[in-house]
């Protein structure tokens, strides 16, 4: 039997989470990202686990079975901003080339600061990821 996934939606208010971030820069960036993601998705932000802010919900299958996961999201972590659901879809590689200074990881996009990124391109990537998930594209 597969293990149960640990990262699930919580009752924590994402705005409260952002307000309690340890640095002013991350609080400001978290607020900007919350506004951007909500505007693009039209969805209310939900905390997933202790530090991820997700939008929408979809079934995701991996080695732990099929579980719910958010469609797109971010985490204003201390070391780097982490973005979820912004790669692996049509036109995203080209948009990632225009994003600015970032790194790619296992399904994530990482940036040191929003100042390193073109926010119009970030908005485009969120739109592409959101639309791909709505169309049922695999993640």
């Amino acid at each position: 039997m597969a293990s149960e996934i640990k990262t699930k939606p919580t009752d924590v208010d994402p705005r409260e989470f952002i307000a309690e971030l340890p640095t002013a820069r991350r609080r400001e960036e978290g607020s900007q990202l919350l506004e951007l993601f909500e505007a693009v998705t039209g969805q209310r932000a939900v905390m997933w686990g202790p530090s991820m802010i997700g939008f929408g919900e979809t079934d995701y299958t991996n080695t732990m079975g099929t579980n719910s996961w958010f469609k797109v999201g971010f985490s204003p972590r201390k070391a780097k901003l982490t973005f979820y659901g912004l790669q692996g879809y049509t036109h995203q590689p080209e948009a990632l080339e225009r994003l600015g200074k970032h790194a790619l990881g296992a399904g994530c996009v990482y940036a040191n600061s929003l100042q390193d990124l073109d926010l119009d391109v970030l908005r485009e990537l969120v739109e592409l990821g959101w639309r791909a998930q709505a169309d049922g594209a695999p993640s």
Side-chain angles (χ1 to χ4, degrees):
M1 182 174 166
S3 299
E4 186 174 330
I5 192 165
K6 294 179 183 170
T7 305
K8 297 179 180 184
T10 72
D11 291 332
V12 175
D13 182 339
R15 284 169 176 72
E16 288 179 19
F17 167 75
I18 289 170
E20 294 173 4
L21 290 170
T23 65
R25 183 179 94 186
R26 283 298 189 245
R27 288 189 297 271
E28 174 60 32
E29 290 175 330
S31 294
Q32 282 181 268
L33 290 169
L34 190 64
E35 187 176 305
L36 184 148
F37 274 74
E38 284 183 339
V40 170
T41 66
Q43 298 288 307
R44 179 180 66 85
V46 174
M47 287 298 303
W48 285 71
S51 64
M52 292 182 268
I53 300 171
F55 300 83
E57 198 166 333
T58 188
D59 287 335
Y60 177 73
T61 302
N62 63 12
T63 59
M64 297 182 77
T66 299
N67 297 281
S68 290
W69 195 253
F70 52 88
K71 293 180 180 183
V72 294
F74 69 93
S75 182
R77 299 185 190 279
K78 183 178 180 180
K80 294 189 181 290
L81 298 170
T82 305
F83 302 99
Y84 306 94
L86 305 190
Q87 62 173 324
Y89 306 113
T90 305
H91 306 298
Q92 285 176 314
E94 184 274 327
L96 283 166
E97 290 178 16
R98 297 181 286 112
L99 180 59
K101 186 178 175 183
H102 70 280
L104 300 178
C108 300
V109 177
Y110 302 97
N112 291 328
S113 171
L114 284 183
Q115 292 179 346
D116 293 337
L117 305 178
D118 181 322
L119 294 183
D120 291 333
V121 176
L122 179 59
R123 176 181 290 273
E124 179 183 340
L125 282 164
V126 173
E127 289 172 355
L128 288 167
W130 182 256
R131 197 172 327 128
Q133 289 283 354
D135 293 342
S139 53

